Amino acid sequence: MRAIWKGAVSFGLVSIGVKLYSATEEKDIRFHQVHREDGGRIRYKRTCSVCGEEVTYDDIAKGYDIGGGEMVILTDEDFADLPLTSSRAIDVLEFVPAEQVDPILYNKAYFLEPEGAATKPYVLLRDALIDSERVAIVKVALRQREQLATLRVREGVLLLNTMLWPDEIRTPDFGFLDEDLKVRPPELAMASSLIDSMTGEFEPDVFTDDYRAALQEVIDAKVEGREVVQPEEVEEAPAAAVDLMAALKASVERAKAARGEQPTRGGGGGGGEPTPISSARSAQKAAEKKAAKAPAKKTAAKKTAEKKAAEPAKKTAAKKTPAKKAEPAKKTAARKTAPRKSA
């Protein structure tokens, strides 16, 4: 890794020299815009909208649009006069419990490495943060901008998390927040049951970016000149459920099946009262089950009667059959006796 910033953590009267490194990196696959016919890169020129001439970076300044077609131009000298007193320092302002910092405020993360002889005070601050179970609220100037940030410990290293300012967080303004929507206790109990059935330990390595992997496979296939492997189809999200309780119960059973657990009898997660729709479905299933059993019983009774009626017939046939078989024997004996009498 390459350090992107050097400065010092100001901790009371202690100054800790540190180097700043980006703690994260985006793994998104990047593309260039090219000419479809020959693959040539598409270049963009920086031109002035007034005179039409191409402008170099040295001639580019920052302008603030004040409306009405008027622009205020700021130069590097204007920015140099701004009061960035903490330009090369990370000033610790206070220490607060970590749970008091709303995660929505977090922006980017950076690792801090001690520089030179600052290792001992660095380790001292690190261990003090661990013992206190708090994070440090700091101010730091990065890329010509003063930012609020936190200092905490991750895997034995001080981690600087820059934060958004409170006025940079938007306030949600949605119509449903003003509606008087009430959730029934059975629905809430079933939703809690679903959460319990899907509860586990968070292991980030288990999750992967399937889209990026499939896109990389397409790129590799084109490079190697082989056929592109069709990625597995992702299961579509179910449509909005008409019966909320039925959807929750089905979700609970699905979660249990995924964990290898036995499904609950009755198909529910327990505890919930039946809704009108689910009651109608249960009654319909019971009627179908009863109707299916009735013909089966009649068929079985009919087969039993036929079986009993067939038994005497079989016995009678058995008695008649030996008698018929004996007749040829008598005829044969008569034929043998007749020639002897004639002689």
Side-chain angles (χ1 to χ4, degrees):
M1 292 189 292
R2 183 176 63 87
I4 62 172
W5 184 89
K6 290 183 180 181
V9 177
S10 179
F11 175 40
L13 298 178
V14 179
S15 180
I16 308 170
V18 293
K19 296 179 181 178
L20 197 71
Y21 300 84
S22 293
T24 60
E25 59 179 338
E26 292 186 4
K27 293 283 187 168
D28 192 19
I29 297 175
R30 300 182 182 277
F31 296 97
H32 296 295
Q33 289 187 329
V34 298
H35 189 194
R36 187 187 301 276
E37 294 183 2
D38 54 21
R41 289 279 300 276
I42 304 299
R43 303 292 185 184
Y44 293 93
K45 293 183 178 181
R46 297 174 299 278
T47 58
C48 176
S49 62
V50 177
C51 64
E53 295 183 0
E54 185 174 354
V55 182
T56 63
Y57 279 113
D58 294 336
D59 293 330
I60 295 178
K62 290 182 173 63
Y64 183 80
D65 190 353
I66 59 176
E70 294 183 301
M71 191 82 64
V72 174
I73 299 177
L74 300 176
T75 64
D76 293 339
E77 290 74 16
D78 296 323
F79 286 101
D81 294 335
L82 294 178
L84 285 177
T85 56
S86 57
S87 59
R88 284 294 168 184
I90 301 173
D91 293 325
V92 177
L93 305 178
E94 59 181 357
F95 296 92
V96 301
E99 60 270 16
Q100 289 185 1
V101 182
D102 192 333
I104 197 174
L105 293 169
Y106 287 127
N107 192 6
K108 293 184 178 180
Y110 300 91
F111 288 129
L112 292 182
E113 179 192 23
E115 186 178 22
T119 303
K120 187 171 182 179
Y122 179 98
V123 172
L124 174 62
L125 176 58
R126 180 197 67 185
D127 294 347
L129 285 174
I130 295 174
D131 290 342
S132 65
E133 297 182 350
R134 283 172 167 77
V135 297
I137 303 298
V138 303
K139 268 188 178 182
V140 59
L142 294 174
R143 297 185 176 90
Q144 297 297 319
R145 185 188 177 193
E146 189 175 57
Q147 299 189 51
L148 195 65
T150 62
L151 271 183
R152 62 186 180 91
V153 182
R154 185 180 189 275
E155 296 181 354
V157 177
L158 289 178
L159 185 72
L160 178 78
N161 275 110
T162 59
M163 295 193 298
L164 301 172
W165 295 99
D167 59 358
E168 292 178 315
I169 305 299
R170 293 177 175 176
T171 301
D173 184 15
F174 304 112
F176 78 93
L177 294 174
D178 298 326
E179 297 178 11
D180 186 17
L181 298 176
K182 294 182 180 179
V183 178
R184 297 190 305 126
E187 294 172 339
L188 183 59
M190 187 58 63
S192 299
S193 178
L194 175 59
I195 292 175
D196 292 339
S197 64
M198 298 179 66
T199 298
E201 298 295 330
F202 179 56
E203 298 178 6
D205 295 336
V206 175
F207 304 97
T208 57
D209 187 346
D210 296 332
Y211 175 81
R212 191 182 74 198
L215 180 58
Q216 189 63 55
E217 169 63 23
V218 172
I219 296 172
D220 294 341
K222 283 186 172 290
V223 171
E224 298 172 7
R226 55 184 172 83
E227 187 176 350
V228 177
V229 178
Q230 184 69 24
E232 295 182 2
E233 293 184 2
V234 180
E235 184 178 354
E236 294 184 0
V242 177
D243 187 352
L244 182 58
M245 283 292 290
L248 288 171
K249 288 179 180 179
S251 300
V252 170
E253 296 304 320
R254 183 176 180 181
K256 288 183 177 180
R259 289 173 173 264
E261 299 177 7
Q262 292 295 330
T264 306
R265 291 185 178 180
E273 296 178 1
T275 62
I277 297 177
S278 61
S279 299
R281 289 179 179 172
S282 300
Q284 184 180 357
K285 289 182 179 179
E288 291 175 355
K289 192 174 181 182
K290 188 176 180 180
K293 285 183 178 180
K297 288 181 180 179
K298 290 181 179 179
T299 306
K302 187 177 180 182
K303 288 183 178 179
T304 304
E306 291 176 354
K307 188 176 181 181
K308 289 181 179 180
E311 285 179 0
K314 287 183 179 179
K315 290 179 181 179
T316 305
K319 289 178 181 180
K320 289 181 179 181
T321 302
K324 289 182 179 179
K325 288 183 178 180
E327 288 178 1
K330 290 180 179 180
K331 291 180 180 179
T332 304
R335 287 176 184 174
K336 288 181 180 181
T337 307
R340 288 178 184 177
K341 286 181 180 180
S342 61

